[in-house]
Amino acid sequence: SDRRFSGRATRRASPAARGARAAGGRRKRDSFDPNEWKTLLRFYEKDPAFGYKLRPRARATVTKLNGSTLVYKAVYTTDEHGRRVMPAPDGPVPERAVFFLGCSYTFGWGVDDAETMPWKTAELAPYRRVYNFGVGGYGPQQLVELFKTDLSKEVPQKRALAIFTFHHEHINRAAGTPRVVRTFGGDFPWYALDEHTGRPARKGSFRERPNAPANSGSKLLDAMRDYHGEVLTKDDARLAALLIDEARVLFEKRFASDGFYLLLYPARQDKLTDEVVRIVQANGVKVLDYRHLLNAGGAPDGPVDYDRWFFPGDGHPNRDLHAKMAAKIVQDLGLER
């Protein structure tokens, strides 16, 4: 669900929002099969802390079409804790864990269970227990909410490494832009920086925020409001960065840390990414900078073959990119040992 694609500013609704429009009866050129969308809706449930979450022990088959052309067809399965399923390690239970955190890029939107970045990492890192905490649409605020919970009930390991997959849309979600609030994030946690501590503090949900945006009934008015609401600032980037750092603080209180990493996803960043990086690094978050991993020659201005690595007309990474990312992470962090 990317606002910018291939260097152009676009306003693209979330996968959930696009599916909802398709299910509403008016056929979109690039859409979910309506019957599959109804199945996907049953894959989620409301939650007061996160806004929504994945149902435990659920399975959904999701098909996305571009006209009559299949974009993807994938099976999603969750475990007893509402996480996307992962392969069980052979032999003794590993003493160290790897947490993959984030949204649909982490979850693996559009690919089967065994094709996600976390699953591929688990295959390459047999001495680590890898967990996939990704949920489509989530922002940095859900990262904080996750580490507020008592994960010891579902994670036996006491030592862990955490990787948050970051792309530019997470700033929109942290800030609660009109498009996010009106489409899929109205019940998301609303955080603001405390005027005394300068740290993020939860105020409620975005629906409880004064002057929360709602559908006006005018497509033109909503489009104009969304356009101006999508113009983000360094203050928005700061909020996103400090939410990520707040999650790091909570993570380090609950686990012996092997590192808390911000993974900058390739080809999915903008000019505010540098501000996020500057703040999180100053606070002790480590950075895996893969912004130019797909650029020809690794150069910042090198072209990217988007259709080679992302689903055409969708923007989510395909199975080849999930495998490439997993191999890079395992190599760079030495997770094979």
Side-chain angles (χ1 to χ4, degrees):
S1 57
D2 291 293
R3 186 168 58 93
R4 295 178 181 88
F5 184 73
S6 188
R8 299 191 305 274
T10 62
R11 291 191 306 282
R12 182 179 297 171
S14 71
R18 293 198 300 272
R21 288 199 299 265
R26 191 165 66 180
R27 181 70 172 177
K28 297 293 182 179
R29 186 181 67 86
D30 187 16
S31 64
F32 283 102
D33 179 295
N35 293 325
E36 301 292 357
W37 176 245
K38 293 176 182 177
T39 300
L40 185 59
L41 285 176
R42 295 195 292 271
F43 196 64
Y44 293 87
E45 62 186 9
K46 289 188 176 182
D47 183 84
F50 297 91
Y52 58 74
K53 63 181 182 180
L54 301 176
R55 292 183 183 275
R57 296 187 178 91
R59 175 167 290 188
T61 300
V62 181
T63 302
K64 187 172 185 180
L65 304 172
N66 187 337
S68 60
T69 302
L70 180 68
V71 178
Y72 58 70
K73 184 174 184 179
V75 176
Y76 306 156
T77 313
T78 60
D79 63 16
E80 68 273 21
H81 300 291
R83 305 175 305 226
R84 192 154 192 191
V85 292
M86 294 290 295
D90 295 330
V93 177
E95 295 181 355
R96 294 186 174 189
V98 177
F99 297 160
F100 276 92
L101 313 161
C103 60
S104 55
Y105 282 38
T106 300
F107 172 82
W109 195 276
V111 301
D112 288 333
D113 295 328
E115 296 175 332
T116 69
M117 177 174 62
W119 186 293
K120 291 301 181 184
T121 299
E123 290 181 336
L124 298 172
Y127 302 108
R128 308 291 178 113
R129 181 68 169 96
V130 182
Y131 297 90
N132 186 345
F133 287 99
V135 179
Y138 272 14
Q141 59 267 59
Q142 279 94 357
L143 191 61
V144 176
E145 294 299 324
L146 175 65
F147 289 115
K148 285 182 179 180
T149 63
D150 184 5
L151 289 178
S152 65
K153 296 178 180 179
E154 55 184 274
V155 176
Q157 290 79 17
K158 306 300 182 184
R159 191 170 192 89
L161 178 152
I163 302 171
F164 177 60
T165 304
F166 177 84
H167 57 76
H168 58 72
E169 190 75 9
H170 288 125
I171 302 176
N172 297 59
R173 295 170 190 173
T177 57
R179 176 178 54 84
V180 169
V181 175
R182 289 196 303 110
T183 54
F184 63 96
D187 294 322
F188 275 15
W190 163 36
Y191 276 83
L193 298 184
D194 185 272
E195 61 181 6
H196 300 295
T197 66
R199 300 294 295 182
R202 182 160 184 174
K203 304 295 184 179
S205 70
F206 283 138
R207 292 192 194 280
E208 298 168 319
R209 189 170 57 181
N211 301 316
N215 289 308
S216 68
S218 167
K219 290 184 179 179
L220 176 60
L221 180 61
D222 288 343
M224 292 175 60
R225 181 177 57 189
D226 287 0
Y227 176 81
H228 291 291
E230 294 289 305
V231 178
L232 301 174
T233 68
K234 285 189 174 182
D235 287 340
D236 298 319
R238 179 174 180 79
L239 174 61
L242 290 177
L243 283 166
I244 294 166
D245 185 61
E246 186 69 17
R248 176 195 62 80
V249 171
L250 295 173
F251 165 76
E252 291 176 349
K253 288 180 179 179
R254 295 191 177 276
F255 296 92
S257 175
D258 283 330
F260 190 100
Y261 290 84
L262 182 73
L263 189 164
L264 303 180
Y265 210 85
R268 289 293 183 262
Q269 309 299 331
D270 64 13
K271 62 183 180 181
L272 288 176
T273 297
D274 285 335
E275 182 69 8
V276 173
V277 170
R278 181 186 69 80
I279 294 170
V280 300
Q281 282 187 320
N283 284 279
V285 174
K286 300 177 181 181
V287 175
L288 296 171
D289 192 346
Y290 296 164
R291 277 180 279 191
H292 308 303
L293 181 66
L294 304 180
N295 294 49
D301 58 350
V304 176
D305 185 356
Y306 287 97
D307 288 348
R308 167 70 179 85
W309 300 108
F310 298 88
F311 290 115
D314 175 82
H316 285 95
N318 61 26
R319 64 182 182 182
D320 291 339
L321 184 49
H322 281 288
K324 183 180 181 70
M325 294 294 293
K328 178 70 171 170
I329 291 166
V330 170
Q331 178 184 34
D332 288 353
L333 299 184
L335 298 182
E336 71 278 4
R337 299 185 295 274

PDB file of all heavy atoms in Angstrom, residues 49-74:
ATOM      1  N   ALA A  49      -6.510  -2.752  21.485  1.00  0.00           N
ATOM      2  CA  ALA A  49      -5.128  -2.268  21.565  1.00  0.00           C
ATOM      3  C   ALA A  49      -4.570  -1.954  20.190  1.00  0.00           C
ATOM      4  O   ALA A  49      -3.948  -0.902  19.981  1.00  0.00           O
ATOM      5  CB  ALA A  49      -4.245  -3.293  22.275  1.00  0.00           C
ATOM      6  N   PHE A  50      -4.784  -2.842  19.218  1.00  0.00           N
ATOM      7  CA  PHE A  50      -4.154  -2.721  17.905  1.00  0.00           C
ATOM      8  C   PHE A  50      -5.069  -2.116  16.843  1.00  0.00           C
ATOM      9  O   PHE A  50      -4.599  -1.702  15.802  1.00  0.00           O
ATOM     10  CB  PHE A  50      -3.691  -4.096  17.428  1.00  0.00           C
ATOM     11  CG  PHE A  50      -2.637  -4.727  18.283  1.00  0.00           C
ATOM     12  CD1 PHE A  50      -2.980  -5.556  19.342  1.00  0.00           C
ATOM     13  CD2 PHE A  50      -1.295  -4.483  18.049  1.00  0.00           C
ATOM     14  CE1 PHE A  50      -2.004  -6.143  20.137  1.00  0.00           C
ATOM     15  CE2 PHE A  50      -0.310  -5.060  18.832  1.00  0.00           C
ATOM     16  CZ  PHE A  50      -0.662  -5.888  19.887  1.00  0.00           C
ATOM     17  N   GLY A  51      -6.357  -2.086  17.077  1.00  0.00           N
ATOM     18  CA  GLY A  51      -7.323  -1.679  16.051  1.00  0.00           C
ATOM     19  C   GLY A  51      -7.949  -2.903  15.431  1.00  0.00           C
ATOM     20  O   GLY A  51      -9.161  -3.055  15.415  1.00  0.00           O
ATOM     21  N   TYR A  52      -7.122  -3.768  14.899  1.00  0.00           N
ATOM     22  CA  TYR A  52      -7.543  -5.094  14.454  1.00  0.00           C
ATOM     23  C   TYR A  52      -6.333  -6.015  14.555  1.00  0.00           C
ATOM     24  O   TYR A  52      -5.183  -5.555  14.701  1.00  0.00           O
ATOM     25  CB  TYR A  52      -8.100  -5.082  13.022  1.00  0.00           C
ATOM     26  CG  TYR A  52      -7.164  -4.557  11.953  1.00  0.00           C
ATOM     27  CD1 TYR A  52      -6.084  -5.317  11.500  1.00  0.00           C
ATOM     28  CD2 TYR A  52      -7.370  -3.304  11.360  1.00  0.00           C
ATOM     29  CE1 TYR A  52      -5.234  -4.855  10.507  1.00  0.00           C
ATOM     30  CE2 TYR A  52      -6.521  -2.833  10.366  1.00  0.00           C
ATOM     31  CZ  TYR A  52      -5.459  -3.607   9.951  1.00  0.00           C
ATOM     32  OH  TYR A  52      -4.615  -3.135   8.969  1.00  0.00           O
ATOM     33  N   LYS A  53      -6.577  -7.294  14.475  1.00  0.00           N
ATOM     34  CA  LYS A  53      -5.486  -8.267  14.512  1.00  0.00           C
ATOM     35  C   LYS A  53      -5.910  -9.505  13.742  1.00  0.00           C
ATOM     36  O   LYS A  53      -7.075  -9.640  13.333  1.00  0.00           O
ATOM     37  CB  LYS A  53      -5.131  -8.635  15.958  1.00  0.00           C
ATOM     38  CG  LYS A  53      -6.252  -9.320  16.727  1.00  0.00           C
ATOM     39  CD  LYS A  53      -5.820  -9.625  18.158  1.00  0.00           C
ATOM     40  CE  LYS A  53      -6.934 -10.353  18.921  1.00  0.00           C
ATOM     41  NZ  LYS A  53      -6.521 -10.644  20.318  1.00  0.00           N
ATOM     42  N   LEU A  54      -4.979 -10.402  13.532  1.00  0.00           N
ATOM     43  CA  LEU A  54      -5.261 -11.650  12.833  1.00  0.00           C
ATOM     44  C   LEU A  54      -5.912 -12.641  13.786  1.00  0.00           C
ATOM     45  O   LEU A  54      -5.539 -12.736  14.963  1.00  0.00           O
ATOM     46  CB  LEU A  54      -3.968 -12.253  12.282  1.00  0.00           C
ATOM     47  CG  LEU A  54      -3.179 -11.376  11.309  1.00  0.00           C
ATOM     48  CD1 LEU A  54      -1.875 -12.062  10.929  1.00  0.00           C
ATOM     49  CD2 LEU A  54      -4.002 -11.077  10.067  1.00  0.00           C
ATOM     50  N   ARG A  55      -6.879 -13.383  13.284  1.00  0.00           N
ATOM     51  CA  ARG A  55      -7.528 -14.404  14.097  1.00  0.00           C
ATOM     52  C   ARG A  55      -6.597 -15.604  14.281  1.00  0.00           C
ATOM     53  O   ARG A  55      -5.876 -15.988  13.360  1.00  0.00           O
ATOM     54  CB  ARG A  55      -8.819 -14.880  13.427  1.00  0.00           C
ATOM     55  CG  ARG A  55      -9.922 -13.847  13.370  1.00  0.00           C
ATOM     56  CD  ARG A  55     -11.164 -14.449  12.751  1.00  0.00           C
ATOM     57  NE  ARG A  55     -12.226 -13.473  12.611  1.00  0.00           N
ATOM     58  CZ  ARG A  55     -13.091 -13.162  13.576  1.00  0.00           C
ATOM     59  NH1 ARG A  55     -13.018 -13.780  14.742  1.00  0.00           N
ATOM     60  NH2 ARG A  55     -14.027 -12.258  13.371  1.00  0.00           N
ATOM     61  N   PRO A  56      -6.614 -16.219  15.450  1.00  0.00           N
ATOM     62  CA  PRO A  56      -5.820 -17.444  15.642  1.00  0.00           C
ATOM     63  C   PRO A  56      -6.392 -18.600  14.836  1.00  0.00           C
ATOM     64  O   PRO A  56      -7.592 -18.677  14.591  1.00  0.00           O
ATOM     65  CB  PRO A  56      -5.962 -17.716  17.154  1.00  0.00           C
ATOM     66  CG  PRO A  56      -6.462 -16.441  17.750  1.00  0.00           C
ATOM     67  CD  PRO A  56      -7.266 -15.763  16.680  1.00  0.00           C
ATOM     68  N   ARG A  57      -5.493 -19.479  14.409  1.00  0.00           N
ATOM     69  CA  ARG A  57      -5.856 -20.712  13.686  1.00  0.00           C
ATOM     70  C   ARG A  57      -6.834 -20.430  12.540  1.00  0.00           C
ATOM     71  O   ARG A  57      -7.865 -21.068  12.388  1.00  0.00           O
ATOM     72  CB  ARG A  57      -6.444 -21.739  14.648  1.00  0.00           C
ATOM     73  CG  ARG A  57      -5.471 -22.221  15.717  1.00  0.00           C
ATOM     74  CD  ARG A  57      -6.087 -23.368  16.514  1.00  0.00           C
ATOM     75  NE  ARG A  57      -5.159 -23.883  17.512  1.00  0.00           N
ATOM     76  CZ  ARG A  57      -5.075 -23.446  18.759  1.00  0.00           C
ATOM     77  NH1 ARG A  57      -5.889 -22.475  19.160  1.00  0.00           N
ATOM     78  NH2 ARG A  57      -4.219 -23.973  19.615  1.00  0.00           N
ATOM     79  N   ALA A  58      -6.484 -19.452  11.732  1.00  0.00           N
ATOM     80  CA  ALA A  58      -7.336 -19.074  10.599  1.00  0.00           C
ATOM     81  C   ALA A  58      -6.606 -19.346   9.288  1.00  0.00           C
ATOM     82  O   ALA A  58      -5.374 -19.444   9.236  1.00  0.00           O
ATOM     83  CB  ALA A  58      -7.710 -17.595  10.696  1.00  0.00           C
ATOM     84  N   ARG A  59      -7.382 -19.486   8.240  1.00  0.00           N
ATOM     85  CA  ARG A  59      -6.807 -19.677   6.908  1.00  0.00           C
ATOM     86  C   ARG A  59      -7.653 -18.930   5.893  1.00  0.00           C
ATOM     87  O   ARG A  59      -8.888 -18.951   5.976  1.00  0.00           O
ATOM     88  CB  ARG A  59      -6.718 -21.153   6.548  1.00  0.00           C
ATOM     89  CG  ARG A  59      -6.235 -21.406   5.113  1.00  0.00           C
ATOM     90  CD  ARG A  59      -5.866 -22.848   4.872  1.00  0.00           C
ATOM     91  NE  ARG A  59      -4.632 -23.194   5.594  1.00  0.00           N
ATOM     92  CZ  ARG A  59      -3.995 -24.340   5.446  1.00  0.00           C
ATOM     93  NH1 ARG A  59      -4.468 -25.263   4.631  1.00  0.00           N
ATOM     94  NH2 ARG A  59      -2.891 -24.585   6.106  1.00  0.00           N
ATOM     95  N   ALA A  60      -6.980 -18.263   4.970  1.00  0.00           N
ATOM     96  CA  ALA A  60      -7.678 -17.542   3.910  1.00  0.00           C
ATOM     97  C   ALA A  60      -6.940 -17.732   2.603  1.00  0.00           C
ATOM     98  O   ALA A  60      -5.707 -17.712   2.562  1.00  0.00           O
ATOM     99  CB  ALA A  60      -7.778 -16.055   4.242  1.00  0.00           C
ATOM    100  N   THR A  61      -7.690 -17.950   1.539  1.00  0.00           N
ATOM    101  CA  THR A  61      -7.130 -17.984   0.188  1.00  0.00           C
ATOM    102  C   THR A  61      -7.536 -16.693  -0.499  1.00  0.00           C
ATOM    103  O   THR A  61      -8.726 -16.386  -0.616  1.00  0.00           O
ATOM    104  CB  THR A  61      -7.656 -19.193  -0.602  1.00  0.00           C
ATOM    105  OG1 THR A  61      -7.280 -20.391   0.078  1.00  0.00           O
ATOM    106  CG2 THR A  61      -7.068 -19.200  -2.004  1.00  0.00           C
ATOM    107  N   VAL A  62      -6.534 -15.921  -0.940  1.00  0.00           N
ATOM    108  CA  VAL A  62      -6.789 -14.595  -1.493  1.00  0.00           C
ATOM    109  C   VAL A  62      -6.339 -14.550  -2.947  1.00  0.00           C
ATOM    110  O   VAL A  62      -5.234 -14.964  -3.277  1.00  0.00           O
ATOM    111  CB  VAL A  62      -6.050 -13.517  -0.683  1.00  0.00           C
ATOM    112  CG1 VAL A  62      -6.336 -12.141  -1.261  1.00  0.00           C
ATOM    113  CG2 VAL A  62      -6.480 -13.570   0.771  1.00  0.00           C
ATOM    114  N   THR A  63      -7.227 -14.062  -3.813  1.00  0.00           N
ATOM    115  CA  THR A  63      -6.930 -13.933  -5.233  1.00  0.00           C
ATOM    116  C   THR A  63      -7.039 -12.465  -5.629  1.00  0.00           C
ATOM    117  O   THR A  63      -8.010 -11.799  -5.269  1.00  0.00           O
ATOM    118  CB  THR A  63      -7.914 -14.756  -6.074  1.00  0.00           C
ATOM    119  OG1 THR A  63      -7.842 -16.127  -5.663  1.00  0.00           O
ATOM    120  CG2 THR A  63      -7.584 -14.658  -7.551  1.00  0.00           C
ATOM    121  N   LYS A  64      -6.045 -11.985  -6.350  1.00  0.00           N
ATOM    122  CA  LYS A  64      -6.102 -10.628  -6.868  1.00  0.00           C
ATOM    123  C   LYS A  64      -5.952 -10.669  -8.381  1.00  0.00           C
ATOM    124  O   LYS A  64      -5.086 -11.374  -8.917  1.00  0.00           O
ATOM    125  CB  LYS A  64      -5.015  -9.737  -6.264  1.00  0.00           C
ATOM    126  CG  LYS A  64      -5.183  -8.279  -6.670  1.00  0.00           C
ATOM    127  CD  LYS A  64      -4.237  -7.369  -5.935  1.00  0.00           C
ATOM    128  CE  LYS A  64      -4.533  -5.911  -6.288  1.00  0.00           C
ATOM    129  NZ  LYS A  64      -3.626  -4.985  -5.603  1.00  0.00           N
ATOM    130  N   LEU A  65      -6.821  -9.913  -9.062  1.00  0.00           N
ATOM    131  CA  LEU A  65      -6.861  -9.898 -10.518  1.00  0.00           C
ATOM    132  C   LEU A  65      -6.554  -8.510 -11.048  1.00  0.00           C
ATOM    133  O   LEU A  65      -6.885  -7.505 -10.419  1.00  0.00           O
ATOM    134  CB  LEU A  65      -8.243 -10.326 -11.017  1.00  0.00           C
ATOM    135  CG  LEU A  65      -8.758 -11.689 -10.541  1.00  0.00           C
ATOM    136  CD1 LEU A  65     -10.207 -11.866 -10.968  1.00  0.00           C
ATOM    137  CD2 LEU A  65      -7.889 -12.814 -11.085  1.00  0.00           C
ATOM    138  N   ASN A  66      -5.933  -8.458 -12.222  1.00  0.00           N
ATOM    139  CA  ASN A  66      -5.780  -7.230 -12.983  1.00  0.00           C
ATOM    140  C   ASN A  66      -6.564  -7.443 -14.270  1.00  0.00           C
ATOM    141  O   ASN A  66      -6.064  -8.041 -15.218  1.00  0.00           O
ATOM    142  CB  ASN A  66      -4.308  -6.950 -13.273  1.00  0.00           C
ATOM    143  CG  ASN A  66      -4.103  -5.600 -13.926  1.00  0.00           C
ATOM    144  OD1 ASN A  66      -5.008  -5.046 -14.542  1.00  0.00           O
ATOM    145  ND2 ASN A  66      -2.906  -5.060 -13.801  1.00  0.00           N
ATOM    146  N   GLY A  67      -7.830  -7.011 -14.251  1.00  0.00           N
ATOM    147  CA  GLY A  67      -8.734  -7.387 -15.326  1.00  0.00           C
ATOM    148  C   GLY A  67      -8.975  -8.876 -15.245  1.00  0.00           C
ATOM    149  O   GLY A  67      -9.453  -9.387 -14.236  1.00  0.00           O
ATOM    150  N   SER A  68      -8.609  -9.615 -16.273  1.00  0.00           N
ATOM    151  CA  SER A  68      -8.729 -11.065 -16.252  1.00  0.00           C
ATOM    152  C   SER A  68      -7.391 -11.750 -15.967  1.00  0.00           C
ATOM    153  O   SER A  68      -7.305 -12.976 -15.932  1.00  0.00           O
ATOM    154  CB  SER A  68      -9.276 -11.568 -17.602  1.00  0.00           C
ATOM    155  OG  SER A  68      -8.400 -11.196 -18.658  1.00  0.00           O
ATOM    156  N   THR A  69      -6.344 -10.937 -15.724  1.00  0.00           N
ATOM    157  CA  THR A  69      -5.011 -11.479 -15.467  1.00  0.00           C
ATOM    158  C   THR A  69      -4.804 -11.689 -13.979  1.00  0.00           C
ATOM    159  O   THR A  69      -5.070 -10.786 -13.171  1.00  0.00           O
ATOM    160  CB  THR A  69      -3.921 -10.529 -15.999  1.00  0.00           C
ATOM    161  OG1 THR A  69      -4.115 -10.332 -17.403  1.00  0.00           O
ATOM    162  CG2 THR A  69      -2.536 -11.090 -15.744  1.00  0.00           C
ATOM    163  N   LEU A  70      -4.328 -12.857 -13.603  1.00  0.00           N
ATOM    164  CA  LEU A  70      -4.064 -13.156 -12.198  1.00  0.00           C
ATOM    165  C   LEU A  70      -2.803 -12.426 -11.747  1.00  0.00           C
ATOM    166  O   LEU A  70      -1.731 -12.581 -12.338  1.00  0.00           O
ATOM    167  CB  LEU A  70      -3.888 -14.667 -12.003  1.00  0.00           C
ATOM    168  CG  LEU A  70      -3.600 -15.137 -10.578  1.00  0.00           C
ATOM    169  CD1 LEU A  70      -4.814 -14.917  -9.688  1.00  0.00           C
ATOM    170  CD2 LEU A  70      -3.190 -16.610 -10.577  1.00  0.00           C
ATOM    171  N   VAL A  71      -2.937 -11.601 -10.715  1.00  0.00           N
ATOM    172  CA  VAL A  71      -1.779 -10.940 -10.106  1.00  0.00           C
ATOM    173  C   VAL A  71      -1.126 -11.888  -9.112  1.00  0.00           C
ATOM    174  O   VAL A  71       0.075 -12.108  -9.129  1.00  0.00           O
ATOM    175  CB  VAL A  71      -2.186  -9.627  -9.411  1.00  0.00           C
ATOM    176  CG1 VAL A  71      -0.978  -8.967  -8.744  1.00  0.00           C
ATOM    177  CG2 VAL A  71      -2.815  -8.662 -10.412  1.00  0.00           C
ATOM    178  N   TYR A  72      -1.945 -12.435  -8.214  1.00  0.00           N
ATOM    179  CA  TYR A  72      -1.462 -13.473  -7.312  1.00  0.00           C
ATOM    180  C   TYR A  72      -2.640 -14.244  -6.740  1.00  0.00           C
ATOM    181  O   TYR A  72      -3.783 -13.779  -6.726  1.00  0.00           O
ATOM    182  CB  TYR A  72      -0.608 -12.906  -6.169  1.00  0.00           C
ATOM    183  CG  TYR A  72      -1.278 -11.875  -5.283  1.00  0.00           C
ATOM    184  CD1 TYR A  72      -2.304 -12.198  -4.400  1.00  0.00           C
ATOM    185  CD2 TYR A  72      -0.851 -10.545  -5.310  1.00  0.00           C
ATOM    186  CE1 TYR A  72      -2.894 -11.254  -3.596  1.00  0.00           C
ATOM    187  CE2 TYR A  72      -1.437  -9.582  -4.495  1.00  0.00           C
ATOM    188  CZ  TYR A  72      -2.453  -9.942  -3.647  1.00  0.00           C
ATOM    189  OH  TYR A  72      -3.048  -8.996  -2.846  1.00  0.00           O
ATOM    190  N   LYS A  73      -2.341 -15.443  -6.293  1.00  0.00           N
ATOM    191  CA  LYS A  73      -3.262 -16.238  -5.502  1.00  0.00           C
ATOM    192  C   LYS A  73      -2.439 -16.861  -4.394  1.00  0.00           C
ATOM    193  O   LYS A  73      -1.438 -17.538  -4.661  1.00  0.00           O
ATOM    194  CB  LYS A  73      -3.951 -17.324  -6.332  1.00  0.00           C
ATOM    195  CG  LYS A  73      -4.993 -18.117  -5.530  1.00  0.00           C
ATOM    196  CD  LYS A  73      -5.762 -19.087  -6.419  1.00  0.00           C
ATOM    197  CE  LYS A  73      -6.853 -19.794  -5.612  1.00  0.00           C
ATOM    198  NZ  LYS A  73      -7.646 -20.725  -6.468  1.00  0.00           N
ATOM    199  N   ALA A  74      -2.823 -16.614  -3.145  1.00  0.00           N
ATOM    200  CA  ALA A  74      -1.994 -17.038  -2.023  1.00  0.00           C
ATOM    201  C   ALA A  74      -2.856 -17.548  -0.886  1.00  0.00           C
ATOM    202  O   ALA A  74      -4.006 -17.140  -0.717  1.00  0.00           O
ATOM    203  CB  ALA A  74      -1.135 -15.866  -1.535  1.00  0.00           C
TER     204      ALA A  74
END
